[in-house]
Structures are given as structure tokens and as C-alpha cells.
Amino acid sequence: MCRWAAYIGAPIFLEDIITLPQHSLIAQSKEATECKTTTNGDGFGISWYGSREEPGLYRDVFPAWSDLNLKAIAHQVQSGLFLSHVRASTGSCITRNNCHPFAAKNWTFMHNGQVGGFEHFRKAADMAISDEHYTFRKGSTDSEVLFLVALGFGLDRDFKTAMEQAVGKLETMSRETGVTPHMRLSAAYSDGHSLYAARYSSDHIAPSVYYRYSETRNGWAVVSEPLETDENGWTELKPGKLLKIDSSGAAEFDFTPS
């Protein structure tokens, strides 16, 4: 399993989410508290939006806590919308192309969870990616397939239905293999304007997601685990829900993959 944190709002330094809080993403990479894998040291990544339509992207295979370049970038770069992720592999190899977030044009995506038995239907899953988006298939993870299949279903036209269809398609493929859990998902994604997060599971165990508005930062954090252990105001995103945050505020929707 993995841990992730995202932010949307007034520009802040990336370190305000990634390194400085008591239970920052770096701290979670060493000692997560709400997942079965305490240590998440199989790589990391950040994507951030600035003056250009396409996001910046920095990923590597080292543990996040040991990468001085990550700390330097987080200390200097400001952004009003960014995603960050620390990885604990569920089976795919540890390479830079398998580190989240994934990017395609103006979209970025990151995932915590698994698709049961993916190794048995990887070829069929790859073939579900549209020709238009297959050029962005760089790694070997189920997460990247999920992202690209959602783009093919029209993520840029319908942020909810396309992701529901993509999750449903991969869950159906998993059910045909008989390998459980068929789908566990907490995911965050963005088109550079809005931030979305979804929480879902085919069983009773859905990876955690929380969100909170900070008046100090004038922005929203969406995370796998709260950034401060003694901080109030965090809202748990319930399983089967999708969150959208933009300049008008936060709204929850039912998330029902078919």
C-alpha cells in the first residue's frame, strides 16, 4: 500500500505538506499509521501546476526520506495545486516509471490500493487503453492502466463517470480471475483546475482518505492520513464517495463503479 497527499488553494511551498507537518508525507513514508504497510520506501513522486498547462513532475525510486533533491525542491517550489505520493509496491517492480503520480497532457493521477490478480490479465488490461492514450503507458502498474483507461472513457468530459467506468472495468477483469481483493482504491487526480479524490473497495476495507480546509494556508489538503496528530477539522471521505474541490469549494458525490 502507499500514502499520498494533495493540495489545492492559495500557492504554498510544497514543504508545507510534504516535509514540515508533524505527520507529513515524509513522516508517513517512515511510519504510516492507517495502512498495513508501515514503511513506504519503494519510491516517491510529486506533480505540481504552475504557469504552464502541463504539470511539473519529479519521481525517483529512493525512499522519500533519503532524497535531498526532494527536500530542496519542496523548500523552494510554490504551487496552488500539487499531488505527492510515497510508494509501497504491491508486486510491480521498483522503477521510476512505476512511481506515482502519473501524468498525461494536463492530467495527473495517483493511487493507493490494488487490483487483485492484475498480473494474470495485464495484457488484456493494457489493450483496454485507447490508442490515443497508450503513448503515455510507460510503466507496468495497475494504477497507470486505471488512469489511462479513465482518460479513454472521457475523463476530461466527465470526471466522475469516466473514473467509475475505469474502476468497474478493472474490477470486472479481477473478478474473472477469482483473486481477491478485486479492487481497493483511494485515488487523487487533477486536470490543473480542480482536485478530485475517490475512495472505494470491492470488500469492506477501503484505503483511508481525509480532507480539511486550512484558513492559515487558504487552501484544502486531501490526504491518506491527517498531517497533524492533534489537529481538528479533518473530514473522512467515506467509502463509495468522490470528492471534488475547486474555487467554489468542496463537494462530495456518490462513487459507484459499474
Side-chain angles (χ1 to χ4, degrees), residues 40-57:
N40 297 270
D42 296 332
F44 66 87
I46 53 175
S47 63
W48 67 94
Y49 293 90
S51 301
R52 301 181 186 274
E53 181 180 6
E54 295 183 352
L57 189 66

Side-chain angles (χ1 to χ4, degrees), residues 25-48:
L25 192 65
I26 294 292
Q28 292 176 42
S29 72
K30 292 185 286 187
E31 190 172 0
T33 59
E34 296 194 34
C35 65
K36 65 180 181 181
T37 305
T38 302
T39 304
N40 297 270
D42 296 332
F44 66 87
I46 53 175
S47 63
W48 67 94

Side-chain angles (χ1 to χ4, degrees), residues 152-225:
F153 278 131
L155 193 62
D156 57 341
R157 299 186 300 273
D158 191 328
F159 65 88
K160 176 178 175 291
T161 302
M163 189 59 69
E164 288 175 329
Q165 291 176 329
V167 172
K169 187 171 187 65
L170 265 66
E171 182 180 337
T172 298
M173 289 181 173
S174 175
R175 289 185 181 279
E176 291 171 352
T177 71
V179 177
T180 59
H182 297 299
M183 178 64 68
R184 288 181 181 167
L185 171 111
S186 74
Y189 53 105
S190 177
D191 58 0
H193 303 284
S194 301
L195 176 62
Y196 309 98
R199 186 183 182 195
Y200 172 80
S201 180
S202 59
D203 60 12
H204 65 286
I205 303 174
S208 56
V209 180
Y210 299 88
Y211 64 99
R212 181 181 185 273
Y213 181 79
S214 169
E215 294 184 355
T216 302
R217 299 188 183 104
N218 194 24
W220 296 85
V222 187
V223 300
S224 295
E225 299 181 12

Side-chain angles (χ1 to χ4, degrees), residues 236-253:
E236 179 185 7
L237 186 67
K238 300 296 184 182
K241 292 292 184 179
L242 184 147
L243 174 70
K244 176 185 179 182
I245 304 177
D246 57 20
S247 58
S248 63
E252 289 191 15
F253 304 85

Side-chain angles (χ1 to χ4, degrees), residues 59-231:
R59 303 179 297 175
D60 218 326
V61 297
F62 305 110
W65 64 78
S66 69
D67 191 275
L68 296 179
N69 292 324
L70 173 61
K71 294 178 181 178
I73 290 171
H75 183 65
Q76 292 291 342
V77 173
Q78 286 183 300
S79 174
L81 176 52
F82 61 89
L83 287 70
S84 55
H85 186 279
V86 292
R87 183 172 184 241
S89 173
T90 56
S92 57
C93 60
I94 301 172
T95 68
R96 187 176 289 112
N97 283 335
N98 283 343
C99 292
H100 309 221
F102 305 103
K105 298 181 180 178
N106 62 308
W107 285 91
T108 53
F109 172 90
M110 59 187 180
H111 170 228
N112 171 35
Q114 62 192 107
V115 183
F118 179 74
E119 64 275 12
H120 300 302
F121 59 88
R122 180 181 298 164
K123 180 180 178 181
D126 270 22
M127 293 179 68
I129 302 171
S130 67
D131 291 343
E132 176 187 357
H133 298 103
Y134 197 78
T135 185
F136 298 105
R137 176 65 162 151
K138 305 298 184 183
S140 59
T141 66
D142 50 7
S143 303
E144 188 182 42
V145 171
L146 176 61
F147 171 42
L148 297 177
V149 169
L151 286 173
F153 278 131
L155 193 62
D156 57 341
R157 299 186 300 273
D158 191 328
F159 65 88
K160 176 178 175 291
T161 302
M163 189 59 69
E164 288 175 329
Q165 291 176 329
V167 172
K169 187 171 187 65
L170 265 66
E171 182 180 337
T172 298
M173 289 181 173
S174 175
R175 289 185 181 279
E176 291 171 352
T177 71
V179 177
T180 59
H182 297 299
M183 178 64 68
R184 288 181 181 167
L185 171 111
S186 74
Y189 53 105
S190 177
D191 58 0
H193 303 284
S194 301
L195 176 62
Y196 309 98
R199 186 183 182 195
Y200 172 80
S201 180
S202 59
D203 60 12
H204 65 286
I205 303 174
S208 56
V209 180
Y210 299 88
Y211 64 99
R212 181 181 185 273
Y213 181 79
S214 169
E215 294 184 355
T216 302
R217 299 188 183 104
N218 194 24
W220 296 85
V222 187
V223 300
S224 295
E225 299 181 12
L227 299 174
E228 300 287 353
T229 56
D230 58 352
E231 189 173 49

